[in-house]
Amino acid sequence: MATAFRDIQPGEFEPTEAHPQHGVIIGGPAARAKRIEYGILLSSMVIGSLGALYWTLTHATGWVEWSAFLFGYILINMGVGIGYHRFYTHRAFEAGPKMRLAIGIMAQMACQASVLKWAADHRRHHAFSDRVGDLHSPYIDGHGKKMSKWKGLGIAHFGWLFDNTTSDMNVYGKGLIDDPQVLWCHRHRWSIAVFSSIIFPALWALAFGGPEHIIGTILIGGFFRNFFFLNFVMGVNSIGHVFGSQRFKTKDGSRNNWFMAWMTFGDGWHNNHHQHPRSAYAGLMWWEVDVNGYIISLWEKMGLVWNVQRAPKYVRDSDGNWVQKKKLNVQSPEAMSEDDGGLMFADGKKTAETKATADAG
């Protein structure tokens, strides 16, 4: 399958500079392609959002334009949180081929690159969270250089999209580079982006309004909707690693941020997620609203998904610490290899054996 992702990682490229972490590539065609693709996607959203602002100030807009915005926002929110994140990155549940394809298309309607690239990059983030190798940490850049607070927030939010590092698909793309649904979505990512940003809003305008609503609905319900939501997804990378509370003492800066959680349908419970990355639910307490988790539960009851991964329940002990209500007998399958993103969810026994072998060597 080496040729299936040549546009992301040409097989013949040999980096002239080695990154200190395994699975991170510096420079080359993949880095150039990354900058071009993200440049096109981001600039189109920004220009379209400015157009939406102008249109709102100079034209009457109503329920047609804003209902398209709201419906599209809900759709791509589910796509990113459930599709890109919980399913393709973390395998929080299982689904059949048709459901996997539907989830992948819904995710890519957010216009944040293909499932293949998004999931591989996010696996790398978890493997090196807030340490050398993390691609969007607010503390260090892609090469491991420490940054000031405000520069770090900027890099973690949008700046990382344009650095010269990329994720090795042979490491972080395992289980993705040979998945027919993932590859179909990757090959059709531009057509899905055009459909999401232009065709779908135009059809919505014709169905519920008329030709006079087409331009406004494309600008508001297409480009502005994507850019508005993108800032909350990126905000989990930046704000979600600096501002908020920490229930668990993870080895990174991940925080639970209620506002980011509300706007991302649950992904803002980021500290919970870093403690239990494979769980289908980021909200662990009843008051932690996790819309994407509720949707997964509904799909499970409908038989659309199965083998849904769940985190253990937690309670406070006498010292005020959060502890598992019922201690698991074995380590949950969440231990991440720092050397190989393809073994992110090795079971505890395998992880211990691997570590023992490495120590012996």
Side-chain angles (χ1 to χ4, degrees), residues 157-347:
H157 203 74
F158 283 137
W160 69 272
L161 297 173
F162 304 102
D163 73 7
N164 67 339
T165 67
T166 54
S167 303
D168 189 338
M169 288 294 159
N170 293 309
V171 176
Y172 299 105
K174 290 182 178 179
L176 298 170
I177 59 177
D178 55 359
D179 185 316
Q181 284 74 39
V182 170
L183 296 180
W184 189 93
C185 288
H186 178 69
R187 288 193 296 268
H188 295 87
R189 64 193 185 280
W190 290 109
S191 58
I192 294 172
V194 170
F195 173 79
S196 174
S197 302
I198 300 173
I199 298 175
F200 179 76
L203 293 175
W204 185 281
L206 289 173
F208 298 104
E212 67 275 15
H213 292 277
I214 290 178
I215 295 177
T217 307
I218 289 173
L219 293 173
I220 295 170
F223 291 105
F224 175 59
R225 169 253 290 169
N226 286 339
F227 184 62
F228 183 78
F229 177 60
L230 177 66
N231 276 280
F232 292 107
V233 175
M234 296 301 190
V236 174
N237 300 334
S238 55
I239 296 170
H241 275 255
V242 176
F243 301 105
S245 62
Q246 287 187 302
R247 173 176 290 126
F248 303 107
K249 295 179 180 179
T250 53
K251 295 180 180 180
D252 52 53
S254 60
R255 304 292 207 274
N256 288 332
N257 185 295
W258 63 266
F259 182 70
M260 300 305 299
W262 286 3
M263 299 307 293
T264 59
F265 286 5
D267 278 12
W269 305 121
H270 204 48
N271 181 246
N272 294 347
H273 170 64
H274 271 258
Q275 177 72 6
H276 293 286
R278 201 181 181 191
S279 173
Y281 309 94
L284 299 183
M285 303 298 162
W286 66 266
W287 64 84
E288 293 175 339
V289 177
D290 184 3
V291 176
N292 283 328
Y294 307 152
I295 294 169
I296 292 172
S297 290
L298 176 62
W299 288 353
E300 183 183 29
K301 292 179 180 178
M302 295 171 64
L304 297 174
V305 303
W306 55 91
N307 195 24
V308 177
Q309 303 294 311
R310 288 174 168 83
K313 294 185 181 299
Y314 282 85
V315 295
R316 283 189 183 275
D317 63 14
S318 57
D319 296 324
N321 300 313
W322 290 98
V323 296
Q324 292 181 18
K325 187 174 182 180
K326 183 179 180 181
K327 188 69 176 178
L328 297 179
N329 294 326
V330 294
Q331 181 177 352
S332 57
E334 297 170 354
M336 296 185 182
S337 167
E338 295 184 3
D339 299 320
D340 190 345
L343 297 177
M344 291 176 68
F345 306 122
D347 59 59

Side-chain angles (χ1 to χ4, degrees), residues 137-141 145-156 242:
S137 170
Y139 302 102
I140 55 174
D141 65 16
K145 183 179 179 181
K146 291 184 178 181
M147 299 180 292
S148 64
K149 180 177 180 179
W150 296 111
K151 179 181 178 180
L153 284 168
I155 294 296
V242 176

Side-chain angles (χ1 to χ4, degrees), residues 78-124:
M78 292 167 54
V80 170
I82 300 175
Y84 275 149
H85 194 197
R86 305 189 196 193
F87 179 67
Y88 280 110
T89 300
H90 295 292
R91 301 297 188 189
F93 55 88
E94 294 181 32
K98 292 181 181 178
M99 191 65 178
R100 295 202 305 270
L101 183 60
I103 293 171
I105 293 172
M106 189 163 58
Q108 288 187 191
M109 285 186 68
C111 303
Q112 296 178 20
S114 71
V115 168
L116 176 60
K117 184 170 180 57
W118 201 105
D121 280 347
H122 196 69
R123 288 177 177 183
R124 178 178 142 205

